[in-house]
Amino acid sequence: MNISLSIYIPLIVLLLSIAGISDGYAQKSFDRGTILNTITQKDTILVFDEIRKGQALEYKAPDSALAYYYNAYNMSKSMYYADGQALAVFNLARMHNRKGNLETALHYFLAAIPVCKASVQQQKLLSAIHGNIGNIYIFQGKYELAASYYDSSLSEELRFTNYQSSRNQASTYINLSRVYYRLKQYDKVYDFAQKAEAISRNMNYPERLALALNNKAEAMLATGNYYGAANSFQEMIKIGTEHNDRIATLSGYTGLGHLSLKQNNPDKALEYLNKAGSIADPQNPYHLPFEINYLIGNAHFQLKQYRKAEDQLLKSLQYAYTIGFADDILNVHKILSEIYTATGRYKMALEHQTIYLNLKDSLLSNEKAKEINELEIKYRSSEKDRELAIKEKELVLKNLSIARAEVLNRRQATWIWIISLGTLLLAMSIVLLRYRQLTREKQLQQQKALDLLKATMDGEEAERVRVGKELHDGVSSFLSAIKMNLVTLRMQRKDIAQESTYMHALSLADEAADELRKTAHNLVPSNLVKKGLTEAIKGFCERLSLPGSVTLEVQVMGSPIRLKAEKELSVYRIVQELIHNIIKHARASEALVIISWMEGVLMVTIEDNGIGMLETDDSKGIGIDNIRKRVQSVNGTLEIENGEDSGTSMYLYFPSLL
């Protein structure tokens, strides 16, 4: 059999290319790089130049800094450069957080989690991301979520350091003291704040020292130690002046204003609070606009200047509802009720008194406080695991050294391997042809499986519609007839209304009709057609959030858009099945669904506080494997994280639904 030499030339080039690529990937594997071989060094330099330009303008021109970060994000996304994309979206979130755009910042921080997990170099950002999410949830009064993300921040920090990072340790103590202050456990606030203060003084961290002093002073203020609180607030003002830290300065003046009100000196309080107001940015929640307006209103109330007090308190209230504060607005409604009573506006006084009482009843329960206390136990357990983390890190470094040696040996063997190719060309050509054939067959099998899944899903949906209509048109009509007959019987025989058996039968008929309507609605989701995917998911969660069952909360980030009907239905059924699995198997009391729309990309995050789930457990509804296939059928991905005694987090990512 004669084979022309021209056949060998492209095969030799191909095999030489494969050898070079393999060696290059080995080199990148021990460098832990993520740059694809289609991305040039020039591309990466352009991305990081944009990020550096943004960092240089953060304080001088924050809007221009945001523009550079957006540009870096789009560049990285277009070239599939995970490291650049992760760093850019993290800086976007951080800048919006600094500007006080809490909802936008939360949106980008949540979006940064899967992006950073996909980037080897930028996974170290996960600790800061979880910590910032915890801070935002503190502002929104969601203390359990805040505590959960602080705990995740600790875990991520432990992955990348030997836990000797004193700066991060001080931040952790500050965050913990902030959680316990909201829970009114002032002894723990004082304890954690003092630990943060000691580290910050020893390592000369003025910004963290000011935060630690503020939390300690607030605890002393709440427990009547006015002298100690005053000293701490004065030191904060000194730190802010020396280091040009606006937040430290205005927090110090705000604290002194609060202290003066506690001491029944409203004139002195107004002097301090006006100084704080002259420094603060009213659009930035970290500049305490809510608290400053509230305290100024309280001072005018003590002076019986009711109109001025009303104006300040209404500003404070409007800001609180805009940002999403929870329990901080309680006292605002109480004082407004007293102002309206004093000025003879009794209807308005009653309205605010009613709101105050309803909010007071919904404050944190002892059970929630107990769950937050478990964070301290987890934190101390993490400290005990420090030595284990150090040993694991040393093992990783050792494995990297071994990988380097293997790469050098592979390079030496490359030329020997190339010389031997001449005798193997014919065999390799056959192998390549066979490989292409197997790949083609595998692709056909995968497509066939997807077509079968789609046909099955279409059949299931058709059956749901059929059953739903039969329930609505058939069984529902019978139940309505039964109820009408029962009501007619009561009109004919008025004495029968006194019979408990009759009334119980009537009640059962009502309950059966209600349950039938809910079942028919789940089978044929009319809201999906009328209002779209987001509203359909919200309505579904509201129907399931019944007393004694799982409490389902839905948050929407970004601007929802309408998709094709079959895609909306597919995503709706996926979310529906995941939530059913939580209700049936997770033993959870609470679950959170976050629907995030960003630049045509849909992300759905579902978190619960249950016992977790096993992906291989086919007894759970249609099974997680089948749910993954459903997600794959609409070009999406599903990632599941089971935390030890901390519930389950599920991330759905749909990049191309339009």
Side-chain angles (χ1 to χ4, degrees):
M1 179 177 181
N2 296 323
I3 300 178
S4 174
L5 183 61
S6 61
I7 298 178
Y8 286 88
I9 294 174
L11 286 172
I12 292 172
V13 173
L14 175 62
L15 292 168
L16 284 171
S17 301
I18 293 172
I21 292 171
S22 300
D23 185 55
Y25 273 126
Q27 176 68 31
K28 287 168 185 156
S29 67
F30 77 77
D31 284 338
R32 294 176 65 84
T34 58
I35 303 174
L36 300 176
N37 51 320
T38 57
I39 302 174
T40 65
Q41 186 177 7
K42 182 179 178 181
D43 292 331
T44 63
I45 291 174
L46 288 174
V47 169
F48 281 97
D49 275 348
E50 293 294 295
I51 292 175
R52 278 191 288 269
K53 289 176 183 176
Q55 291 171 340
L57 293 173
E58 283 189 358
Y59 292 96
K60 297 178 182 178
D63 291 333
S64 297
L66 277 173
Y68 279 115
Y69 292 146
Y70 277 118
N71 195 25
Y73 173 78
N74 290 328
M75 290 170 61
S76 302
K77 187 177 179 182
S78 65
M79 65 179 72
Y80 300 99
Y81 179 29
D83 288 348
Q85 191 175 349
L87 191 58
V89 75
F90 170 74
N91 278 288
L92 281 172
R94 190 172 54 80
M95 274 302 297
H96 281 294
N97 196 34
R98 176 177 291 174
K99 287 168 65 66
N101 305 328
L102 296 190
E103 286 297 333
T104 305
L106 180 61
H107 170 78
Y108 279 111
F109 276 129
L110 289 170
I113 292 176
V115 178
C116 286
K117 286 182 178 180
S119 163
V120 177
Q121 294 291 341
Q122 304 304 335
Q123 287 188 21
K124 58 190 177 184
L125 296 176
L126 288 169
S127 175
I129 291 170
H130 284 93
N132 277 287
I133 293 173
N135 291 340
I136 293 173
Y137 280 136
I138 279 286
F139 266 88
Q140 295 180 342
K142 300 173 182 178
Y143 308 126
E144 292 180 53
L145 282 172
S148 174
Y149 276 98
Y150 287 149
D151 186 37
S152 297
S153 178
L154 279 172
S155 300
E156 292 295 340
E157 180 67 25
L158 194 59
R159 289 177 57 200
F160 293 98
T161 70
N162 59 7
Y163 214 71
Q164 299 300 319
S165 176
S166 55
R167 185 185 297 272
N168 291 333
Q169 199 169 11
S171 296
T172 299
Y173 287 137
I174 291 168
N175 290 336
L176 288 169
S177 66
R178 189 178 301 161
V179 173
Y180 283 115
Y181 178 79
R182 293 292 182 174
L183 295 171
K184 304 186 187 306
Q185 299 185 23
Y186 302 117
D187 54 339
K188 292 185 178 180
V189 176
Y190 191 84
D191 181 41
F192 282 116
Q194 273 200 316
K195 290 179 180 179
E197 178 187 358
I199 294 173
S200 301
R201 289 190 189 279
N202 185 46
M203 303 301 296
N204 192 24
Y205 301 145
E207 180 183 2
R208 282 163 177 74
L209 176 58
L211 294 172
L213 287 171
N214 182 73
N215 292 354
K216 186 175 79 168
E218 292 289 352
M220 290 189 291
L221 191 62
T223 54
N225 184 0
Y226 297 157
Y227 178 78
N231 288 338
S232 293
F233 288 134
Q234 292 287 0
E235 186 175 358
M236 288 172 61
I237 296 172
K238 182 179 178 182
I239 292 171
T241 303
E242 291 177 352
H243 297 277
N244 195 25
D245 187 342
R246 289 175 64 188
I247 292 181
T249 305
L250 71 89
S251 296
Y253 281 125
T254 304
L256 289 174
H258 192 184
L259 173 60
S260 299
L261 286 176
K262 288 273 190 178
Q263 295 174 325
N264 296 318
N265 191 347
D267 291 318
K268 191 67 175 177
L270 286 173
E271 179 183 338
Y272 287 126
L273 294 169
N274 286 330
K275 288 182 179 180
S278 67
I279 301 171
D281 177 1
Q283 303 303 318
N284 192 328
Y286 295 107
H287 285 202
L288 313 176
F290 167 86
E291 186 173 357
I292 292 172
N293 286 332
Y294 164 71
L295 293 174
I296 291 176
N298 200 344
H300 286 303
F301 175 69
Q302 289 188 15
L303 292 169
K304 297 185 179 180
Q305 298 171 353
Y306 296 130
R307 287 297 179 185
K308 291 182 179 180
E310 180 184 359
D311 289 341
Q312 292 294 326
L313 291 171
L314 288 175
K315 287 180 182 178
S316 176
L317 197 62
Q318 180 182 6
Y319 187 85
Y321 280 117
T322 300
I323 297 299
F325 289 148
D327 57 344
D328 284 334
I329 63 176
L330 180 70
N331 290 328
V332 179
H333 285 291
K334 184 175 185 295
I335 298 175
L336 281 171
S337 176
E338 294 177 7
I339 289 173
Y340 292 136
T341 300
T343 55
R345 290 173 285 178
Y346 300 114
K347 181 179 179 181
M348 298 179 70
L350 178 60
E351 290 176 357
H352 284 277
Q353 179 69 9
T354 302
I355 296 172
Y356 165 74
L357 293 175
N358 290 335
L359 287 173
K360 187 177 181 181
D361 290 339
S362 64
L363 286 176
L364 287 171
S365 64
N366 292 331
E367 182 180 354
K368 289 186 177 180
K370 181 180 178 182
E371 292 176 3
I372 301 296
N373 288 337
E374 292 176 359
L375 176 62
E376 182 181 358
I377 299 172
K378 293 181 180 179
Y379 171 74
R380 300 195 183 280
S381 298
S382 297
E383 284 187 320
K384 290 179 182 179
D385 291 340
R386 177 181 57 189
E387 294 182 1
L388 179 60
I390 295 173
K391 291 179 180 179
E392 290 178 349
K393 188 172 182 180
E394 291 173 350
L395 181 60
V396 170
L397 293 174
K398 182 178 179 181
N399 289 337
L400 290 177
S401 298
I402 294 172
R404 291 177 186 270
E406 290 178 351
V407 168
L408 291 175
N409 292 334
R410 189 177 293 112
R411 285 179 173 175
Q412 294 172 358
T414 299
W415 286 106
I416 299 173
W417 179 65
I418 293 174
I419 293 171
S420 303
L421 287 178
T423 58
L424 298 174
L425 283 175
L426 182 59
M428 288 299 297
S429 61
I430 297 173
V431 170
L432 286 173
L433 290 173
R434 180 58 179 164
Y435 173 75
R436 289 180 181 177
Q437 182 181 0
L438 291 174
T439 302
R440 192 178 299 111
E441 290 177 355
K442 185 177 180 181
Q443 291 174 345
L444 290 173
Q445 290 176 356
Q446 290 176 344
Q447 186 60 44
K448 184 177 179 181
L450 287 176
D451 292 342
L452 179 60
L453 176 62
K454 187 177 185 304
T456 303
M457 291 166 58
D458 292 342
E460 289 177 354
E461 199 58 42
E463 182 64 12
R464 285 192 180 98
V465 171
R466 186 188 66 79
V467 173
K469 288 183 177 180
E470 287 186 1
L471 288 174
H472 183 272
D473 299 337
V475 181
S476 179
S477 300
F478 282 117
L479 283 173
S480 298
I482 291 171
K483 184 177 177 181
M484 290 177 60
N485 280 303
L486 288 172
V487 171
T488 302
L489 181 61
R490 184 173 62 183
M491 295 175 62
Q492 294 174 350
R493 293 181 53 189
K494 295 184 179 181
D495 59 320
I496 200 172
Q498 306 299 321
E499 296 291 335
S500 60
T501 302
Y502 170 81
M503 295 306 295
H504 182 63
L506 186 60
S507 175
L508 287 176
D510 284 335
E511 291 180 11
D514 187 53
E515 288 298 323
L516 187 62
R517 280 194 300 273
K518 292 179 181 177
T519 302
H521 186 84
N522 283 336
L523 289 170
V524 186
S526 57
N527 273 353
L528 190 64
V529 177
K530 296 177 182 178
K531 300 181 180 179
L533 177 62
T534 301
E535 293 300 320
I537 292 175
K538 289 172 66 175
F540 173 70
C541 292
E542 288 174 1
R543 291 194 301 275
L544 293 183
S545 293
L546 299 175
S549 181
V550 178
T551 300
L552 293 166
E553 179 182 353
V554 180
Q555 294 183 4
V556 181
M557 307 291 179
S559 301
I561 58 178
R562 291 306 301 265
L563 308 173
K564 291 183 179 179
E566 64 272 13
K567 291 185 177 181
E568 284 191 336
L569 181 60
S570 296
V571 176
Y572 177 79
R573 291 302 185 197
I574 290 166
V575 174
Q576 188 181 45
E577 189 63 32
L578 289 173
I579 292 174
H580 276 310
N581 279 348
I582 291 173
I583 295 172
K584 294 176 183 177
H585 308 288
R587 302 180 190 172
S589 60
E590 295 182 352
L592 172 66
V593 180
I594 302 174
I595 307 170
S596 182
W597 300 86
M598 181 177 66
E599 300 178 3
V601 175
L602 171 62
M603 291 177 291
V604 182
T605 302
I606 305 174
E607 298 180 345
D608 66 67
N609 62 350
I611 61 173
M613 64 173 65
L614 297 175
E615 294 192 36
T616 57
D617 189 351
D618 291 333
S619 65
K620 298 181 178 180
I622 65 172
I624 296 299
D625 287 340
N626 281 346
I627 294 179
R628 287 190 184 279
K629 291 177 182 177
R630 283 194 172 193
V631 174
Q632 185 183 1
S633 70
V634 286
N635 298 321
T637 59
L638 169 63
E639 182 180 348
I640 299 176
E641 291 183 357
N642 283 315
E644 185 176 350
D645 298 326
S646 61
T648 302
S649 297
M650 293 172 282
Y651 303 98
L652 287 164
Y653 182 71
F654 302 100
S656 57
L657 286 175
L658 294 180

